[in-house]
Amino acid sequence: MDKVLFVVDMQEMYVGKGRDKTTYSYDADALIDAINNIVSYKKGLLGGGMPKEGTPAASFPAKLKVVSKNIYSKSKPDAFSNVALEDFMRARNVKEIEIVGVDGGISVINTAIGAIECGMRVVFNEDCIGTVFRDKANKCRDKLKKNKISYIHS
């Protein structure tokens, strides 16, 4: 396996109908549709998130296509803080990940940095990243481009 699609923090808490729309003001339906379009032709992994495991907020929205059983939870913004995920990726010789999901200013950025530290190339699919903390995401953009991160639109 050389490349994977890596979906971060797409739980009900962040993209569901009952989410706090003041905080998570991006168009969640459009984001889910964009991710589903690329999931349709790419196999992938799903990164877990911060909501408490087993709660409704931690479940995936029914509309989101889940095509892999490789789901890893995390307790920190960097999904690679979960050693089992890093081991899984190394065992499959993953060289590049395309990251999509939420939030482009926190978990997506931190997971990208974790992937780089593991020796992987990173692609941000900007059409498939929901961002609450835009200032933080924009501030990191130039720095991330210098560190093996490419930005694309699907």
Side-chain angles (χ1 to χ4, degrees), residues 131-144:
T131 303
V132 172
F133 301 99
R134 291 207 180 275
D135 292 343
K136 191 171 186 177
N138 291 337
K139 186 176 178 181
C140 292
R141 187 181 175 106
D142 290 335
K143 182 178 178 182
L144 294 175

Side-chain angles (χ1 to χ4, degrees), residues 29-96:
D29 286 333
L31 178 62
I32 291 170
D33 289 344
I35 290 172
N36 284 342
N37 284 338
I38 61 173
V39 165
S40 294
Y41 64 89
K42 296 181 181 179
K43 290 185 177 180
L45 300 173
L46 295 169
M50 302 303 220
K52 186 175 180 180
E53 194 170 333
T55 65
S59 64
F60 297 116
K63 186 176 175 182
L64 181 68
K65 292 179 185 175
V66 178
V67 297
S68 172
K69 292 182 181 180
N70 299 312
I71 299 172
Y72 292 86
S73 61
K74 63 186 181 68
S75 59
K76 297 179 181 176
D78 174 9
F80 286 94
S81 62
N82 182 331
V83 177
L85 171 62
E86 184 177 345
D87 292 344
F88 176 85
M89 301 290 261
R90 288 187 194 281
R92 279 146 185 85
N93 198 30
V94 174
K95 302 287 187 218
E96 180 177 290

Side-chain angles (χ1 to χ4, degrees), residues 8-21 23-28 31-32 48-52 56-59 61 74 101-103 107 130 132-133:
V8 178
D9 289 350
M10 288 297 293
Q11 296 91 338
E12 283 287 335
M13 178 178 173
Y14 304 118
V15 295
K17 293 184 190 315
R19 76 186 185 283
D20 176 354
K21 292 179 180 141
T23 302
Y24 306 110
S25 59
Y26 42 79
D27 185 339
L31 178 62
I32 291 170
M50 302 303 220
K52 186 175 180 180
S59 64
K74 63 186 181 68
V102 175
D103 177 272
S107 292
V132 172
F133 301 99

